[in-house]
């Protein structure tokens, strides 16, 4: 009797181990908690309202073009790759960055090529930002976008060639205030990023 129950116990343990291994394979070896923490999929970016200040005109194509640029910026931030920025920044006007002020396109290219550049610190790498700010209570732009639950973009056309955006988070709305309103300018029929979030 002892002999049979021992083998039954071994068989039961073997089946239990097999079931646990299958569950582990299905979930990729991750616990449910780590699976919830690691979705690094860019949030959806959708068009919100469009406002025209002191002028009239058809802006649907402009809005579509700017929205694609914003989607590219959000996606690049999540994937930690903004090396494409110079191609969407005007040679004439450059780009305005919160802490750095105005940069020429050439200064932007130079900054992107340095190891611990502005974007790595403020956009991607929380540990570097913690050191920079000497605080654990910091969030990178990437952290903010990942916590947004999706972004809705309102367009404020100041003129036919200038548009400020307001990014609205679908979740954690209080965090959207930590971003700056992006600003786009139109030159020679093409929209360029002037101020980044």
């Amino acid at each position: 009797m002892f002999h049979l129950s021992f083998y039954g116990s071994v068989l039961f343990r073997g089946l239990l181990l097999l079931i646990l291994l299958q569950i582990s394979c299905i979930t990729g070896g991750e616990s449910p908690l780590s699976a919830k923490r690691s979705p690094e999929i860019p949030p959806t970016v959708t068009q919100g309202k469009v406002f025209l200040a002191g002028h009239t005109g058809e802006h649907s194509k402009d809005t579509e073009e700017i929205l694609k640029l914003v989607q590219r910026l959000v996606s690049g931030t999540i994937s930690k790759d903004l090396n494409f920025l110079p191609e969407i920044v005007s040679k004439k006007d450059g780009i305005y960055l919160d802490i750095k002020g105005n940069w020429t396109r050439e200064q932007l290219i130079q900054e992107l090529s340095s190891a611990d550049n502005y974007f790595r610190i403020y956009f991607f790498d929380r540990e570097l930002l913690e050191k920079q700010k000497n605080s654990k209570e910091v969030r990178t732009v990437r952290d903010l976008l990942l916590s947004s639950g999706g972004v809705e973009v309102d367009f404020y056309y100041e003129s036919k060639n200038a548009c400020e955006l307001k990014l609205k988070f679908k979740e954690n709305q209080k965090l959207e205030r930590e971003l700056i309103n992006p600003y786009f300018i139109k030159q020679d029929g093409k929209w360029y990023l002037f101020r980044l979030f």
Side-chain angles (χ1 to χ4, degrees), residues 54-146:
H55 69 284
T56 58
E58 172 56 43
H59 286 282
S60 59
K61 287 183 181 177
D62 295 316
T63 301
E64 190 178 311
E65 185 179 341
I66 295 170
L67 187 63
K68 285 179 182 175
L69 290 172
V70 174
Q71 289 166 337
R72 188 173 181 196
L73 288 165
V74 169
S75 180
T77 301
I78 301 305
S79 65
K80 300 182 181 182
D81 181 8
L82 291 175
N83 289 322
F84 63 87
L85 270 181
E87 65 191 65
I88 64 169
V89 168
S90 162
K91 284 183 183 178
K92 179 183 170 193
D93 292 310
I95 186 170
Y96 177 82
L97 297 170
D98 181 33
I99 293 172
K100 300 288 188 176
N102 269 83
W103 276 359
T104 65
R105 194 176 187 186
E106 289 71 30
Q107 288 171 313
L108 174 63
I109 291 167
Q110 188 176 2
E111 181 69 14
L112 284 165
S113 67
S114 67
D116 288 338
N117 64 56
Y118 170 87
F119 302 100
R120 182 166 176 216
I121 295 169
Y122 290 93
F123 278 63
F124 309 144
D125 194 324
R126 189 180 312 119
E127 286 181 23
L128 285 177
L129 185 57
E130 287 172 0
K131 287 178 188 173
Q132 179 82 11
K133 296 285 189 178
N134 198 23
S135 170
K136 294 279 184 189
E137 301 299 315
V138 295
R139 285 178 283 271
T140 63
V141 172
R142 186 173 185 273
D143 294 333
L144 293 169
L145 292 172
L146 284 171

